[in-house]
Amino acid sequence: MSLSTRPRKDHLDALAVCILLVCCMFWGFQQVLVKATVAELPPVFQSAVRGLGATLLLWLWCQWRGVRLFERDGSGWAGLLVGCLFAAEFACIYIGLQYTSASRLTVFLYTSPFWVAALVPWFIRTERLRPVQWLGMACAFAAVVFALREGFGGGGATGDLMGLAAGALWGLTTVAIRAANLTRLAAEKLLFYQLAVSTLVLLLVSHLLTESWNGTWSGFAMGSVAVQSVVGAFASYLAWMWMLGHYPATKISAFVFLTPLFALLFGTLWLGEAVTLTLALSLALVAAGIVLVNRK
């Protein structure tokens, strides 16, 4: 038995908003946590270990819930594609955090709704955005351009561009899921494709990059990877997969623009990251975009 099924809705209800708020808060914190751990664990290897832990947890969950992961249903090739896109996204995130602040990278990561909004309607006509919603996307796009100019001027363009690439890959992952109708699968199986395939790909990439696979970790590193695995890659992403199957992809993708706000807050409080006027204005435009995109 998979996660409970509910009728698909065309708007975000109170349950959806609560789930998204909790997920966004953790995802904003997670970027800061990853950056704080990169000094001890190489970025791609850290992402792969996180994925491995989450894959094992998901497999145990599916055994307990009776979810079949390996039955033939014609989803194999699409699942592999989604898993590879997922791996590329997280490689960009973890590597990019070496070159820019967590808050800046998160702003660029959350350009994913642009790709979703532009491409999903070609496959699912009911998810076309109205003019006021496109205005919201334009606000968010202006915010990204505004912030990117600062990165080029301050020498942080490498991390910014890695974040932008990660955002595109996240958006393309969502588009691939909807276009191939992978939402027909149990949320657990859809997530299993992404975690299992990406873990293998990331381990290979880490090996090719000759990253050090040091087995001696501090208590902080072990705790960090455990939190990333259990809360991040397992619980929050399972909730995200379920949301994709029950709510419009364009609206839930736009709502997660809140994550950069949380990343900015945690980055400032924990890592002492600077809050520039440009970044603050960019985040304000992002918030305005959320309001407009989610108008009924």
Side-chain angles (χ1 to χ4, degrees):
M1 180 175 62
S2 65
L3 293 175
S4 63
T5 56
R6 289 162 48 112
R8 186 169 180 80
K9 298 188 176 183
D10 60 2
H11 65 280
L12 299 182
D13 55 19
L15 175 64
V17 171
C18 289
I19 292 174
L20 283 170
L21 279 174
V22 172
C23 287
C24 290
M25 183 178 296
F26 178 79
W27 292 337
F29 170 74
Q30 181 174 245
Q31 310 299 4
V32 179
L33 181 61
V34 170
K35 187 172 180 64
T37 313
V38 162
E40 184 172 346
L41 296 182
V44 180
F45 177 63
Q46 183 183 162
S47 182
V49 174
R50 180 198 76 143
L52 178 61
T55 300
L56 292 174
L57 285 172
L58 182 59
W59 180 79
L60 291 172
W61 166 272
C62 291
Q63 292 297 304
W64 177 53
R65 301 282 293 182
V67 179
R68 297 180 179 179
L69 295 174
F70 303 106
E71 64 180 356
R72 292 178 177 272
D73 54 17
S75 64
W77 288 109
L80 288 173
L81 171 62
V82 166
C84 289
L85 289 171
F86 193 76
E89 173 197 342
F90 278 89
C92 288
I93 292 172
Y94 278 63
I95 294 173
L97 283 169
Q98 296 180 107
Y99 301 102
T100 190
S101 67
S103 53
R104 286 188 64 82
L105 183 135
T106 307
V107 169
F108 293 106
L109 172 62
Y110 283 83
T111 58
S112 61
F114 304 147
W115 301 89
V116 175
L119 298 177
V120 164
W122 287 93
F123 303 96
I124 304 169
R125 294 184 178 277
T126 57
E127 294 200 20
R128 292 187 181 278
L129 297 181
R130 297 188 304 277
V132 67
Q133 293 170 311
W134 277 113
L135 177 60
M137 296 305 252
C139 285
F141 180 75
V144 169
V145 173
F146 200 35
L148 192 59
R149 287 182 59 189
E150 182 182 54
F152 276 105
T158 299
D160 291 351
L161 291 174
M162 294 293 282
L164 195 59
L169 288 161
W170 183 9
L172 290 172
T173 301
T174 302
V175 171
I177 288 170
R178 299 304 309 281
N181 195 28
L182 292 182
T183 53
R184 75 183 189 279
L185 305 177
E188 295 92 338
K189 182 167 183 176
L190 181 53
L191 181 58
F192 188 80
Y193 270 126
Q194 294 174 80
L195 289 176
V197 174
S198 66
T199 297
L200 294 174
V201 172
L202 289 168
L203 284 172
L204 176 61
V205 172
S206 177
H207 175 69
L208 293 174
L209 293 175
T210 66
E211 290 185 338
S212 173
W213 294 9
N214 188 348
T216 304
W217 300 356
S218 68
F220 169 75
M222 289 189 287
S224 171
V225 172
V227 170
Q228 292 178 53
S229 299
V230 177
V231 183
F234 172 62
S236 70
Y237 293 160
L238 189 58
W240 175 258
M241 292 300 101
W242 181 82
M243 293 279 290
L244 282 177
H246 294 83
Y247 298 93
T250 47
K251 291 186 178 180
I252 65 173
S253 294
F255 194 91
V256 293
F257 270 131
L258 284 173
T259 300
L261 297 174
F262 290 115
L264 178 64
L265 174 63
F266 292 126
T268 301
L269 294 177
W270 185 1
L271 302 180
E273 294 180 348
V275 181
T276 65
L277 178 60
T278 296
L279 186 59
L281 291 175
S282 298
L283 290 174
L285 282 171
V286 163
I290 295 172
V291 173
L292 293 172
V293 168
N294 285 282
R295 289 188 63 180
K296 296 182 181 179

